[in-house]
């Protein structure tokens, strides 16, 4: 028993040391450019930075130069989305891959990324990946489809 | 005849000739389970290490109140724990220790899934990177059942008799 405990401690320590070193060698960026602190404020989002309020999202949606990207699962995107949104789940970037869809978007155009609600992290993840691929104006609509629908704004369904 | 010999001579005696097949089949089952479980954990760890950002965001989604720096480190340390414990288990040395580590990781993952279900949160399974094994969609009951089976297998290996 004591021997097993020692072995577990050795394995755990070795894994932690390797993991710590790996994290130092390959640092991750988890925050979007311009984002401050640990994440978006839950309410009363301030203008500026990568976060977009519901009203701002509505205004941006009326601008034809702004691309809306839905980071929800493909089946969720197919079922219902903000009209005109591109479907781009994080899995499309698996292993550092470049989704073909991004070729259809201009890297200098404003992009608003959202997912199902403020309970999903997919929008931030897709936004970060897009920034990595050179998109210069990527914002996140944290409220997502749920907030959009709750406000009574139109959606696009299957098709 | 000694007392020891009398016991061994009974109808349910531990006759080496009759015990050998049972021991062999249990040994084969242990080896298979060990390799399967160990291999699965190596795959799980490596797939997370190939795309650490994906796993980091799944960790963020748990809303554990951790800083980005802490999440970044955990996104590497947890997969390395999986990969190392899985490799040691599959290779067959320090079997009990590595099986207990795998068990602890599975219990930790399951606790995380339960906390997501209780809070009604929608988080993609980062279990095998972007690949979905058996269970599709957000983390939920299917993943808990899958973990329960793996936990049973880990207990089977961890409680094997010492040779």
């Amino acid at each position: 028993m004591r021997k097993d405990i020692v072995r577990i401690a050795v394995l755990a320590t070795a894994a932690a040391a390797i993991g710590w070193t790996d994290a130092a060698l390959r640092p991750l960026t988890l925050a979007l450019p311009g984002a401050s602190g640990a994440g978006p404020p839950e309410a009363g989002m301030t203008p500026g930075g990568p976060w977009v309020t519901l009203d701002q999202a509505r205004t941006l949606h009326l601008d034809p130069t702004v691309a809306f990207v839905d980071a929800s699962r493909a089946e969720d995107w197919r079922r219902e989305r903000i009209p005109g949104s591109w479907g781009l789940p994080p899995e499309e970037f698996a292993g550092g891959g470049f989704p073909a869809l991004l070729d259809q978007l201009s890297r200098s155009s404003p992009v608003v990324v959202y997912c199902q609600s403020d309970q999903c992290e997919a929008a931030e993840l897709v936004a970060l990946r897009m920034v990595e691929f050179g998109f210069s104006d990527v914002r996140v609509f944290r409220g997502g489809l749920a907030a959009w629908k709750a406000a009574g704004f139109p959606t696009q369904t299957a098709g | 005849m000694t007392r020891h010999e009398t016991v061994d001579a009974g109808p349910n005696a531990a006759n080496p000739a009759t015990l050998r097949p049972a021991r062999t089949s249990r040994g084969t089952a242990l080896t298979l389970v060990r390799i399967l479980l160990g291999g699965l954990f190596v795959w799980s760890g490596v797939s997370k290490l190939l795309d650490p950002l994906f796993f980091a965001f799944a960790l963020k989604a748990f809303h554990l109140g951790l800083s980005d720096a802490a999440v970044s480190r955990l996104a590497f340390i947890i997969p390395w724990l999986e990969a190392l414990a899985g490799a040691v288990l599959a290779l067959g040395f320090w079997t009990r220790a590595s099986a207990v580590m795998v068990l602890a990781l599975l219990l930790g993952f399951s606790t995380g899934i339960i906390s997501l279900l209780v809070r009604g949160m929608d988080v993609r399974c980062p279990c095998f990177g972007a690949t979905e094994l058996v269970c599709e969609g957000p983390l939920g009951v299917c993943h808990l059942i899958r973990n329960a089976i793996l936990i049973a297998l880990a207990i089977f290996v961890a409680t094997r008799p010492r040779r």
Side-chain angles (χ1 to χ4, degrees):
Chain A
M1 177 61 99
R2 184 175 293 174
K3 195 182 280 182
D4 288 324
I5 293 171
V6 171
R7 287 170 176 175
I8 290 169
V10 168
L11 284 175
T13 306
I18 298 169
W20 194 279
T21 308
D22 198 0
L25 293 174
R26 297 190 287 160
L28 297 177
T29 304
L30 299 183
L32 285 161
S36 59
E42 293 302 323
M45 291 182 205
T46 51
W51 314 115
V52 170
T53 63
L54 175 64
D55 288 341
Q56 290 168 336
R58 179 61 172 156
T59 305
L60 288 165
H61 190 249
L62 297 172
D63 181 346
T65 64
V66 178
F68 270 62
V69 168
D70 188 338
S72 309
R73 277 178 287 276
E75 60 268 29
D76 291 333
W77 173 79
R78 269 192 295 273
R79 191 170 54 243
E80 190 171 20
R81 56 192 175 268
I82 293 176
S85 301
W86 301 83
L88 187 62
E91 289 77 8
E92 294 286 323
F93 295 88
F98 182 83
L101 171 77
L102 293 185
D103 276 332
Q104 299 178 56
L105 301 176
S106 163
R107 278 174 172 66
S108 56
S109 297
V111 178
V112 174
V113 191
Y114 70 94
C115 49
Q116 291 292 295
S117 71
D118 59 1
Q119 293 297 306
C120 57
E121 305 292 327
E124 269 183 83
L125 177 52
V126 166
L128 266 177
R129 302 277 205 199
M130 292 183 74
V131 169
E132 282 175 359
F133 280 122
F135 285 81
S136 56
D137 186 359
V138 185
R139 304 176 217 179
V140 172
F141 170 33
R142 187 74 183 158
L145 186 65
W148 185 267
K149 285 167 65 178
F153 297 148
T155 59
Q156 184 178 353
T157 48
Chain B
M1 189 175 280
T2 64
R3 187 177 174 185
H4 177 71
E5 284 169 324
T6 306
V7 170
D8 276 352
N12 299 318
N15 184 333
T18 55
L19 271 183
R20 196 167 295 128
R23 279 186 179 165
T24 306
S25 64
R26 182 174 167 81
T28 308
L30 269 170
T31 305
L32 282 175
V33 169
R34 193 170 51 68
I35 292 171
L36 177 82
L37 200 57
L40 204 62
F41 264 70
V42 171
W43 177 27
S44 174
V46 169
S47 57
K48 290 185 182 88
L49 288 169
L50 289 175
D51 196 354
L53 192 62
F54 189 71
F55 183 51
F57 264 80
L59 286 176
K60 272 186 84 170
F62 280 84
H63 295 292
L64 298 171
L66 298 171
S67 67
D68 279 0
V71 168
S72 295
R73 288 202 179 93
L74 277 180
F76 288 94
I77 292 172
I78 292 173
W80 272 109
L81 280 168
E82 288 182 88
L84 198 62
V88 171
L89 184 63
L91 291 172
F93 61 95
W94 292 8
T95 304
R96 182 171 294 174
S98 53
V100 169
M101 274 185 75
V102 164
L103 181 62
L105 284 165
L106 284 166
L107 290 172
F109 294 151
S110 301
T111 306
I113 297 171
I114 290 169
S115 82
L116 288 180
L117 287 175
V118 168
R119 290 181 284 171
M121 297 171 79
D122 176 0
V123 179
R124 288 170 167 76
C125 175
C127 322
F128 303 99
T131 309
E132 291 183 318
L133 180 72
V134 184
C135 302
E136 292 183 352
L139 283 165
V141 176
C142 177
H143 298 89
L144 275 181
I145 294 169
R146 188 179 70 189
N147 276 8
I149 294 167
L150 296 177
I151 284 169
L153 294 177
I155 290 173
F156 174 65
V157 177
T159 57
R160 84 200 196 288
R162 268 192 196 283
R163 274 175 281 176

